[in-house]
Amino acid sequence: MVYSKKKNPNSMDIISVAIVEDNHDIRNAMELLINGSEGYACIGAFNNAEMALERVPQLLPNVVLMDFNLPGMNGIECIARLKAEFPDMQFMMLTVYEDDDKIFMALEAGASGYILKKTSPGELLDAIRDLHDGGSPMSSQIARRVVAYFQKQAKPNPALEALTSREKEILDQLSKGFLYKEIASNLFISIETVRRHVHNIYEKLHVRSRTDAVNKYFNR
Amino acid sequence: MVYSKKKNPNSMDIISVAIVEDNHDIRNAMELLINGSEGYACIGAFNNAEMALERVPQLLPNVVLMDFNLPGMNGIECIARLKAEFPDMQFMMLTVYEDDDKIFMALEAGASGYILKKTSPGELLDAIRDLHDGGSPMSSQIARRVVAYFQKQAKPNPALEALTSREKEILDQLSKGFLYKEIASNLFISIETVRRHVHNIYEKLHVRSRTDAVNKYFNR
DNA sequence: ACAGGAATAACACGTAAATGTTATTACAAA
DNA sequence: TTTGTAATAACATTTACGTGTTATTCCTGT
């Protein structure tokens, strides 16, 4: 980034990396790998989240490799805090788990890459560069979990299928917070008809208030 | 799948593929590629969505390669209809676009893979197998879009930061549809205090009803 | 031709929510 | 020490919401 005008592979595009990993052997192995590879520099390695929170703001690495399980604060929380302060910093979750929960927690916290520890050294380096170049390195198995989450989100509550199209229209208006009289004038019907529809909607959804109906509408 | 007991590479694990693509040359090229590769069989190729909707239910391919832009019904709608009827069928979106909207529409409709048309023949075959094996083949650039969507979803409305912790607690109760008296007993305070807090919340969020407050709470 | 669902409408009643005003206590910052 | 904010509480008033009952029109399927 510094000498961006010159196409010199020794000075441009060196990716600075920090490692947060409590296992001594893994941490040292990764540090050696990164420092031994052209275009990469490991500028910090920490064995816990607290130390990382203290030093990373000074070092400002391009990429942070974060272990999931750490003594004390876990890696998710550590990413969330650093990401909030440094939105452009890139985080790669490194873990042995492929659980849905852990994946989603990491992504929500601000990790953009999610790879397994069994990943080969060469692939790890590729993933770091990919992450730095704006990609989200992850296995296609993990990608499928993320995609599945999307598809689940898109599925509406089956109870809503029982509603007529007019009732869905009314429910949509309810969800937007309109008063009955506003719904009436929006849909060119009387307020009494609105009441009627709302009543039928509540019966079909088994709820007794607008908020509950809206929660079902949004699948919560 | 048929001769799954015998480990014969010529009969097991042959992935049946259907192609929906309006460009004659591309369609033929893909068909030739697939039929010319061991372990793959192209059992149908259609130049529009309507034809695919008619024939795919009879052919029941393992994987459907779907173009985005088709004459008449588009590929998204075609996937949505087929996926609803055959949830186990796998769909791969093939497109020249990398737009966020198109990616999300495809994923929501039920596509599990999303690759660009410029993908090499070898990579296309790999992606088909990957998709069939439960992965979600996509470039890491596209994965980043999906991840970014996650992270955006996770960001709460900044207006909520103005609320005190007690007010957030009250708002959470409001969002769950509790009556004031229920909130009062849940939090061991009087109903009048609940009123007071709700009033303050409404002022800070600039809303005049529970539904509007809850909508802000959920960032809608 | 008729049954049934869907959309429309009106009226009455009770409950819940939203608004306005005022006040006490506690705690933290200036 | 004073000032300010947060949390607590009470009372009165108005508006909105939810329920029960009844009825007409239109359309669809049998």
Side-chain angles (χ1 to χ4, degrees), chain A residues 19 21 30 65-69 92-96 113-117 119 124:
Chain A
I19 300 169
E21 162 69 62
M30 291 200 296
L65 306 183
M66 182 71 67
D67 185 26
F68 194 99
N69 286 313
M92 178 107 70
M93 204 74 212
L94 269 170
T95 172
V96 291
Y114 193 104
I115 63 177
L116 300 181
K117 284 195 180 174
T119 304
L124 175 60

Side-chain angles (χ1 to χ4, degrees), chain A residues 179-181 195-196 202 208-210:
Chain A
L179 302 179
Y180 284 7
K181 59 181 170 191
R195 280 190 212 285
R196 180 87 295 238
Y202 288 4
R208 309 176 64 80
S209 74
R210 178 194 285 240

Side-chain angles (χ1 to χ4, degrees), chain A residues 18-217:
Chain A
I19 300 169
V20 188
E21 162 69 62
D22 61 327
N23 181 296
H24 181 269
D25 295 340
I26 297 179
R27 189 174 67 248
N28 281 1
M30 291 200 296
E31 192 172 357
L32 281 173
L33 168 69
I34 290 167
N35 277 328
S37 303
E38 207 170 311
Y40 301 84
C42 182
I43 60 174
F46 316 103
N47 62 13
N48 63 68
E50 290 75 11
M51 189 63 80
L53 285 178
E54 196 183 316
R55 300 284 293 128
V56 165
Q58 293 151 5
L59 299 169
L60 295 175
N62 299 132
V63 169
V64 178
L65 306 183
M66 182 71 67
D67 185 26
F68 194 99
N69 286 313
L70 293 169
M73 182 186 297
N74 67 33
I76 300 283
E77 178 65 23
C78 187
I79 289 179
R81 296 202 187 187
L82 289 172
K83 187 76 181 180
E85 213 176 336
F86 309 101
D88 294 337
M89 202 174 279
Q90 297 302 321
F91 297 88
M92 178 107 70
M93 204 74 212
L94 269 170
T95 172
V96 291
Y97 305 104
E98 240 175 300
D99 304 11
D100 282 14
D101 285 352
K102 295 201 170 60
I103 295 170
F104 299 139
M105 284 167 66
L107 297 183
E108 281 181 18
S112 299
Y114 193 104
I115 63 177
L116 300 181
K117 284 195 180 174
K118 65 182 180 190
T119 304
S120 72
E123 285 175 330
L124 175 60
L125 291 174
D126 287 346
I128 292 172
R129 181 157 298 279
D130 187 5
L131 180 67
H132 182 244
D133 290 347
S136 270
M138 61 177 72
S139 76
S140 80
Q141 300 296 320
I142 289 174
R144 174 65 76 106
R145 312 297 184 86
V146 179
V147 168
Y149 185 83
F150 248 88
Q151 294 171 350
K152 192 168 54 186
Q153 295 294 86
K155 270 184 216 153
N157 190 321
L160 297 181
E161 301 306 311
L163 301 182
T164 69
S165 61
R166 191 58 156 174
E167 284 165 352
K168 286 178 193 164
E169 209 171 347
I170 300 271
L171 179 52
D172 185 67
Q173 296 270 309
L174 284 177
S175 78
K176 295 189 167 77
F178 288 118
L179 302 179
Y180 284 7
K181 59 181 170 191
E182 290 172 328
I183 297 174
S185 83
N186 288 347
L187 302 184
F188 307 107
I189 55 179
S190 91
I191 195 171
E192 297 302 329
T193 306
V194 175
R195 280 190 212 285
R196 180 87 295 238
H197 284 308
V198 171
H199 188 256
N200 290 336
I201 290 166
Y202 288 4
E203 271 199 337
K204 288 183 180 176
L205 299 186
H206 307 295
V207 298
R208 309 176 64 80
S209 74
R210 178 194 285 240
T211 306
D212 286 340
V214 173
N215 279 342
K216 290 220 168 183
Y217 183 56

Side-chain angles (χ1 to χ4, degrees), chain B residues 179-181 195-196 202 208-210:
Chain B
L179 301 179
Y180 286 7
K181 61 181 167 190
R195 281 189 214 288
R196 181 90 292 251
Y202 288 3
R208 312 177 61 79
S209 74
R210 177 194 285 239

Side-chain angles (χ1 to χ4, degrees), chain B residues 66-81:
Chain B
M66 182 71 66
D67 185 26
F68 195 98
N69 286 313
L70 294 168
M73 182 186 296
N74 67 32
I76 300 282
E77 178 65 22
C78 186
I79 289 178
R81 296 201 188 187

Side-chain angles (χ1 to χ4, degrees), chain B residues 77-93:
Chain B
E77 178 65 22
C78 186
I79 289 178
R81 296 201 188 187
L82 288 170
K83 188 74 180 181
E85 213 176 337
F86 309 102
D88 293 337
M89 201 176 281
Q90 297 302 321
F91 297 88
M92 178 107 70
M93 206 73 211

